[in-house]
Amino acid sequence: MTNLGVKFAGLDCSSPIWTASGTFGYGAEFDRFLDLRALGGIVTKGISPKPRAGNPLPRICETAAGMINSIGLENVGVDGFAQNKLPFLRKCGTNVVVNFFGETIDEYVACGAALDALDGVDALEMNVSCPNIKKGGVEFGTESNVLRDLVRACRAAIKKPLLIKLTPNCTDVVSISRAAIESGADGLSVVNTISAMAIDARRRRPRIATIFGGLSGPAIKPVALRMVFEVHRALPDVPISGIGGIQSGEDVVEFLLAGASTVQVGTQNFAEPSAAARIGEELKQFLSEEKIDDVNELIGGLKIK
Ligand code: SIN
């Protein structure tokens, strides 16, 4: 019997494969496409204190080997989530990780604390790619000192496992990771989308209404792998959930070798809603072909000498 189970920041996961925030709705939308119990976890769309309508259209466009989105963090808000989304998630048979954010530190704390108190929420993932209104719109996750204040304040209000979803739009992902962990985070999700733009040459216009958006998909996989590896090498005991263009079982293995102990399937869910299940089967096949009886053997197993 091959063991696919991993432990991650206090969570028992039946598989290292999770689905990524913003690509899997609130879970129920995908129930008819795959057996959610086969997943190690679901990460919900980011939740804010109040509901948000998001950005004007167009807010998604395809690119070579990926896509750009600027959804604008549309979501149902904490109360809408608790009343209308969580009842399904409580019974879905896998870990429920709730992504959350705010526009100020106080909003982050209020949102995180409210979600932490909800039965059925197993862990929280903090999105730090949001503009810090008090600092002129710079992302919270790009400056170590800002991130320290934010994580410390949230940690004091949150008892459940707290993950920080890092932005790749920073100069030194290791310093940012260290700041998050030293301030009380239990693990890291590495990484969110890369700031990008696309242009329609005929119309001479940006393809996204807000001009800039976040690039995801296989186009960013090598960048994400590099960041996972760098963070793992500097902080080997920190649980990392790897994200960035995962499309196959072998992609999962690459992230595990780089140091992730779980991974999140994201952009592929838009093209193939059952992708996470197929990728799980491919991972099992890989382990069987390589005669590996425990997936944990792969974690951090990259040979560099
Ligand atoms: C969005 O809703 O605009 C995307 C959120 C994110 O990438 O953090």
Side-chain angles (χ1 to χ4, degrees), residues 105-168:
I105 291 185
D106 289 348
E107 275 195 18
Y108 268 96
V109 171
C111 193
L115 292 166
D116 189 57
L118 295 173
D119 181 36
V121 172
D122 296 302
L124 294 172
E125 178 183 73
M126 190 195 292
N127 181 356
V128 296
S129 299
C130 312
N132 180 348
I133 302 298
K134 289 201 173 146
K135 296 262 173 171
V138 178
E139 289 177 42
F140 279 94
T142 56
E143 285 177 29
S144 296
N145 287 341
V146 175
L147 189 64
R148 267 180 214 283
D149 291 345
L150 177 62
V151 175
R152 220 177 265 137
C154 288
R155 174 75 284 170
I158 292 172
K159 296 187 189 67
K160 289 177 179 162
L162 174 62
L163 319 181
I164 311 302
K165 185 170 185 176
L166 301 183
T167 171

